[in-house]
Amino acid sequence: MASNSDDSSSNPLSGAADDPDRVAANLQAAAPPPVDASVDAPFSSLQSRMHQMFPRLSDAEILRMRQFGQPMHVEAGEILVQTGQPSAGMWVVLSGVMQITRRDGMGHRQTITEAHAGYFVAEVSSISGGPVLVDVTASTAVDLLLISSERLRALLVADAELSEKIMRALILRRVSLIQQGSGGPVLVGTGREPQMIALQGFLTRNNHPYTVVDANTDPEAAAIVERVAAKTGDFPLVICPDGNVLRNPDEGQLASCLGWLPEFDESTVYDVAIVGAGPAGLAAAVYAASEGLHVAVFDCRAPGGQAGASARIENYLGFPTGISGHALAGRAFVQAQKFGAHIAIPTEAVALDCSCSAATHYQLGLTLKTGQHVNTRSLVVASGAVYRRPSVKKLEAFEGRGVYYWASPVEAKLCKHEEVVLIGGGNSAGQAAVYLASHVTHLHMFIRGTSLEASMSRYLIDRIASLPNVTMHTCTDLVGLDGDDRGLTSIRYRSADKVPEQRMETRFLFMFIGADPNTDWLRTCGVSLDEHGFVLTGVAARPDSETPPLTLETSVNGVFSIGDVRSGSTKRIASGVGEGAAVVAQIHGFLSKQDQVVPMAVQVVV
């Protein structure tokens, strides 16, 4: 699993320190170059850590593992697993040699390593049983110890020393695959498809390797385009690891191609279902799962939520050098899986049926597969918010073609050495401005107010003021967009001190104007919302109740709300994480008071 020098800074699981948490804090994207090689691990760092990526186990360590595994024997040439198949768990090689190779959708193969006696074969997906990113074949007759995903999670919890060694290796192996862009789908485009950026962002935020090729310059891609008779509207093409070709797919189709869509056993009863995998939802998942609750987590797109738009957070406790929201989410995502939380991405909540509330029986509709049901005893609403869009004509037509709501390394690479405009005055806007300023020639920042004092942290205000290539435009509103067949070409805006409207040429407009609560799916259930659509909790949700409600419980028994979606919450990442921890104690209290457990039914539909 050697890696190249591309994009080491954008991997939320990479890092220069030996601390596995530092490693886990850096897994992000796959293509762009490092933003700051002094902060994030470059290629040379991974090369120097091969002994950690592929550690050899001692006889004593293997002996401790035996209670968690099952001995097995395979003959030479036998294929244990192929790219895209569900992981069986972790194999510990007792004798013989196993070959691990990577393969992309175009059939390119490359040997990663050979595992001899004393080495283990596994990757991050081994923890959850998700699709593997490599092919594993027995080069000789091999004696193995197979530790299933379930037993691997038990091992990681039971043995702290082995857990540190295994987790560090699994994370570094995923980092290497991401940096290589191997073991994943191949995205074929012509350089003019907005959906290409969307799919890259989707894969990046889900920490999955991918490769992008140009149909105009790559002979193999051109041959595939000719073979499938692709037309202009078919791009981007996605070549899945199994060889199937998707034509201009959406995120759900791509997820299906990669085997991400989960299957639920209708006889399983979860203790808690969490809707939303932002910092609050992931915190609830980590604390609930680590305390023995059976947890399911659903998110419509990727871990991180709105926090994923934060390029670098410098006021989060414990990270004096800063951490990106995506990196924080990458850490929490792996941590929740380690403790056994079942995380289903991408799924989207569309309705909550509380018609049987007297029996504590609810029905939650999620987009995925028609007819499936997930049973749960309690529910946590952590669905966060959706990006707010200004009322400007042609906005939708330019989304992905010059208008962006996310400032990741993918977008930063697109606008490198360009003049860009960013609209917004909150912390996310400030973090994005600081990040983009290191890539672009000049950044114009538009805010509606007279200053940033009321909406942004002081350290960000000072940082922006010190940037020589950032110009602040106060009391300014966006009024129009113009473009050509390539996308956005200019914007029109109006400032309080200048009349009439003005025009600025730019092909890149970043929108960070806030978000609206994602609560439409709750309206059929009777969960009380405030005038802005945020979820009411505690006394505000039940003002006439004789029994004081739990502080994070909604107007419906057993339904809790945390994070940005909750009315009255402090819209900060640390606050959401704190509420995620606090809600678990309240869930324990709710479950302990149930005289008879009657599960809520969660319906999963496409």
Side-chain angles (χ1 to χ4, degrees):
M1 281 190 180
S3 60
N4 59 30
S5 59
D6 289 343
D7 191 40
S8 59
S9 73
S10 57
N11 288 311
L13 298 182
S14 73
D18 286 340
D19 180 0
D21 280 345
R22 171 72 176 113
V23 177
N26 289 322
L27 179 62
Q28 266 186 14
V35 177
D36 183 354
S38 68
V39 175
D40 297 290
F43 168 61
S44 58
S45 178
L46 278 182
Q47 285 289 322
S48 68
R49 302 180 67 183
M50 295 297 286
H51 65 289
Q52 295 178 326
M53 193 183 303
F54 300 107
R56 183 161 189 169
L57 301 169
S58 67
D59 292 341
E61 288 173 327
I62 293 176
L63 182 63
R64 280 152 47 198
M65 288 181 168
R66 284 186 178 274
Q67 62 179 307
F68 297 93
Q70 176 182 353
M72 62 182 294
H73 177 84
V74 296
E75 297 296 334
E78 186 171 339
I79 299 173
L80 278 79
V81 69
Q82 291 182 304
T83 301
Q85 294 181 348
S87 174
M90 182 172 77
W91 291 282
V92 180
V93 182
L94 304 178
S95 68
V97 180
M98 298 175 69
Q99 185 180 56
I100 297 92
T101 59
R102 58 172 174 253
R103 170 173 53 88
D104 64 21
M106 299 177 76
H108 299 144
R109 291 180 179 273
Q110 185 175 348
T111 298
I112 297 174
T113 190
E114 287 187 338
H116 297 257
Y119 292 86
F120 61 86
V121 179
E123 201 262 333
V124 167
S125 59
S126 302
I127 301 173
S128 63
V132 299
L133 301 181
V134 296
D135 295 339
V136 180
T137 307
S139 298
T140 67
V142 182
D143 288 313
L144 301 165
L145 184 67
L146 172 61
I147 303 177
S148 68
S149 295
E150 181 179 2
R151 297 298 293 161
L152 175 58
R153 294 192 296 269
L155 167 63
L156 294 175
V157 172
D159 194 316
E161 182 182 349
L162 281 172
S163 175
E164 180 178 346
K165 178 176 288 190
I166 293 169
M167 287 298 295
R168 179 186 288 116
L170 300 189
I171 289 167
L172 288 171
R173 293 174 187 184
R174 173 60 69 93
V175 168
S176 180
L177 287 173
I178 289 177
Q179 291 185 354
Q180 285 285 342
S182 55
V186 178
L187 280 58
V188 181
T190 62
R192 301 178 66 177
E193 304 88 10
Q195 186 64 4
M196 174 70 83
I197 303 302
L199 295 180
Q200 285 184 266
F202 178 64
L203 291 167
T204 294
R205 291 190 64 182
N206 282 284
N207 307 319
H208 199 282
Y210 64 91
T211 305
V212 176
V213 297
D214 191 333
N216 297 319
T217 59
D218 187 283
E220 286 185 276
I224 292 173
V225 170
E226 183 177 356
R227 175 170 60 83
V228 301
K231 301 177 182 178
T232 302
D234 293 335
F235 290 98
L237 300 176
V238 176
I239 308 171
C240 301
D242 61 5
N244 286 332
V245 179
L246 305 179
R247 300 169 187 262
N248 192 21
D250 59 25
E251 294 174 356
Q253 291 169 321
L254 177 56
S256 179
C257 149
L258 297 176
W260 291 359
L261 303 187
E263 297 287 341
F264 298 103
D265 182 353
E266 295 186 12
S267 65
T268 299
V269 180
Y270 290 98
D271 292 314
V272 56
I274 302 168
V275 177
L282 288 173
V286 168
Y287 284 101
S290 67
E291 293 180 14
L293 295 180
H294 198 190
V295 181
V297 184
F298 307 96
D299 195 278
C300 64
R301 190 159 190 256
Q306 292 288 327
S310 298
R312 186 174 296 278
I313 307 163
E314 297 187 55
N315 60 350
Y316 190 80
L317 184 66
F319 293 92
T321 61
I323 183 172
S324 74
H326 184 199
L328 188 67
R331 164 181 295 194
F333 181 79
V334 174
Q335 195 173 14
Q337 287 185 313
K338 169 185 173 180
F339 288 117
H342 182 176
I343 304 178
I345 295 175
T347 59
E348 182 178 359
V350 295
L352 179 61
D353 181 4
C354 300
S355 58
C356 300
S357 58
T360 64
H361 182 89
Y362 308 103
Q363 183 167 301
L364 173 65
L366 302 173
T367 59
L368 263 193
K369 288 194 174 178
T370 303
Q372 282 192 310
H373 290 76
V374 176
N375 299 307
T376 180
R377 299 167 61 190
S378 63
L379 176 72
V380 174
V381 180
S383 47
V386 294
Y387 290 114
R388 188 174 295 153
R389 289 166 166 79
S391 300
V392 176
K393 292 182 179 179
K394 301 181 183 179
L395 179 67
E396 187 174 347
F398 291 122
E399 290 179 345
R401 301 173 63 240
V403 174
Y404 306 97
Y405 301 90
W406 170 264
S408 78
V410 174
E411 289 80 16
K413 186 178 181 180
L414 281 176
C415 64
K416 192 173 183 66
H417 304 313
E418 298 282 349
E419 191 162 352
V420 307
V421 176
L422 184 147
I423 300 178
N427 275 0
S428 292
Q431 289 152 356
V434 170
Y435 173 65
L436 290 172
S438 65
H439 294 76
V440 304
T441 302
H442 201 91
L443 184 143
H444 297 271
M445 193 168 184
F446 290 5
I447 62 173
R448 301 182 69 178
T450 58
S451 73
L452 296 170
E453 303 291 335
S455 59
M456 188 178 292
S457 295
R458 184 74 247 174
Y459 81 95
L460 284 171
I461 296 174
D462 294 341
R463 184 75 52 80
I464 292 169
S466 70
L467 295 172
N469 63 334
V470 174
T471 299
M472 182 67 62
H473 301 258
T474 60
C475 303
T476 301
D477 287 304
L478 179 70
V479 296
L481 305 173
D482 297 297
D484 55 22
D485 59 348
R486 290 177 53 197
L488 184 70
T489 58
S490 64
I491 66 168
R492 285 174 281 120
Y493 63 99
R494 182 178 294 112
S495 299
D497 58 342
K498 294 181 181 179
V499 180
E501 69 182 37
Q502 301 174 79
R503 182 185 299 273
M504 181 181 295
E505 292 186 1
T506 182
R507 286 195 173 273
F508 300 94
L509 173 64
F510 292 87
M511 308 289 293
F512 288 85
I513 60 173
D516 296 314
N518 185 14
T519 53
D520 285 347
W521 60 283
L522 293 171
R523 296 184 184 278
T524 57
C525 176
V527 173
S528 297
L529 310 175
D530 68 15
E531 64 272 20
H532 301 293
F534 291 92
V535 180
L536 292 170
T537 55
V539 175
R542 306 181 196 176
D544 300 324
S545 176
E546 295 182 1
T547 303
L550 298 171
T551 56
L552 297 174
E553 194 169 18
T554 71
S555 58
V556 177
N557 289 329
V559 178
F560 300 82
S561 183
I562 58 176
D564 287 358
V565 74
R566 189 177 72 83
S567 179
S569 66
T570 302
K571 313 305 182 190
R572 288 286 187 269
I573 294 173
S575 299
V577 171
E579 290 184 7
V583 76
V584 175
Q586 298 190 17
I587 291 170
H588 276 300
F590 168 76
L591 295 178
S592 67
K593 292 179 181 178
Q594 288 184 302
D595 295 328
Q596 180 179 3
V597 176
V598 180
M600 293 189 270
V602 181
Q603 184 176 17
V604 181
V605 298
V606 178

